[in-house]
Amino acid sequence: HIHFSLFGRAFTQRLVTQMYFPGDPLFGQDPIFNSVRDPAARERMICAFDLDATVPEWALAYRWDIVLRGTEATPRDEEHGA
């Protein structure tokens, strides 16, 4: 997984979250991933393989959007006691 820390207009406006890769065999052992109880919210923490952006023989590409507000918001560490 990859950690993200985003700041807003002030140091106190901070989003800390993680992006996971599909099929990660360690999902069951990850305390942050497992602290998110809502299955739909967990799915939003997993990126999607992006074949169109992949460069053959060079790099695999994945897509993952950070959503700041609303029902589809990216889960934040502080919201789940992590």
Side-chain angles (χ1 to χ4, degrees):
H1 63 268
I2 298 174
H3 298 258
F4 289 89
S5 179
L6 305 165
F7 291 95
R9 294 183 180 148
F11 184 77
T12 57
Q13 293 179 319
R14 183 177 180 198
L15 166 77
V16 177
T17 191
Q18 297 181 122
M19 179 196 81
Y20 294 88
F21 292 94
D24 187 331
L26 300 176
F27 281 145
Q29 298 174 8
D30 189 289
I32 301 299
F33 187 79
N34 288 304
S35 71
V36 178
R37 297 199 186 340
D38 178 13
R42 276 192 195 168
E43 286 300 313
R44 291 193 303 273
M45 296 170 70
I46 301 171
C47 61
F49 178 67
D50 188 342
L51 183 59
D52 292 333
T54 292
V55 179
E57 310 282 331
W58 178 250
L60 297 176
Y62 291 85
R63 179 176 177 83
W64 186 67
D65 296 323
I66 295 176
V67 179
L68 299 177
R69 292 191 175 144
T71 58
E72 300 296 312
T74 301
R76 303 171 186 215
D77 284 355
E78 65 269 16
E79 290 176 354
H80 301 284

